[in-house]
Amino acid sequence: MKKVKIYVTLRESVLDPQGSAVMGALHTMGYNEVADVRIGKYLEIQVDDSEKELDVVVKEMCEKLLTNTVIEDYRYDVEEAVSK
């Protein structure tokens, strides 16, 4: 079993109104040292070891469902899942 941690962010060329709102709020709170905020999403999925190439499967999931590749970039890390 593998744990895949997927990080999705807006492309740099895409405006991020949510990030701008958070930055404005941080400035209002006195954190003027914050120069920029970009909001993204984080997903964790557990995948059974299979005969399929994991990188191919994860890339396919990201590009077909988990991200909007027109406006978002993604990256992922793979680790061994710890059984509970």
Side-chain angles (χ1 to χ4, degrees):
M1 182 81 67
K2 303 284 187 191
K3 179 189 285 185
V4 182
K5 297 178 176 182
I6 303 169
Y7 305 89
V8 181
T9 55
L10 288 171
R11 291 180 178 228
E12 285 297 320
S13 61
V14 175
L15 293 177
D16 182 0
Q18 189 178 13
S20 296
V22 169
M23 187 172 74
L26 289 170
H27 286 176
T28 300
M29 296 169 65
Y31 298 105
N32 295 316
E33 64 272 24
V34 177
D36 192 23
V37 176
R38 302 286 290 176
I39 303 291
K41 58 187 172 183
Y42 169 74
L43 302 95
E44 277 187 6
I45 59 174
Q46 291 195 10
V47 181
D48 286 329
D49 292 328
S50 70
E51 294 180 15
K52 290 184 175 178
E53 177 75 27
L54 183 59
D55 285 332
V56 172
V57 172
V58 171
K59 184 176 179 182
E60 191 175 281
M61 288 189 291
C62 287
E63 294 185 0
K64 286 186 172 178
L65 178 67
L66 303 176
T67 68
N68 178 346
T69 57
V70 174
I71 61 170
E72 295 175 324
D73 290 323
Y74 67 90
R75 67 178 177 83
Y76 59 88
D77 299 322
V78 178
E79 343 180 306
E80 288 293 326
V82 177
S83 330
K84 293 181 181 177

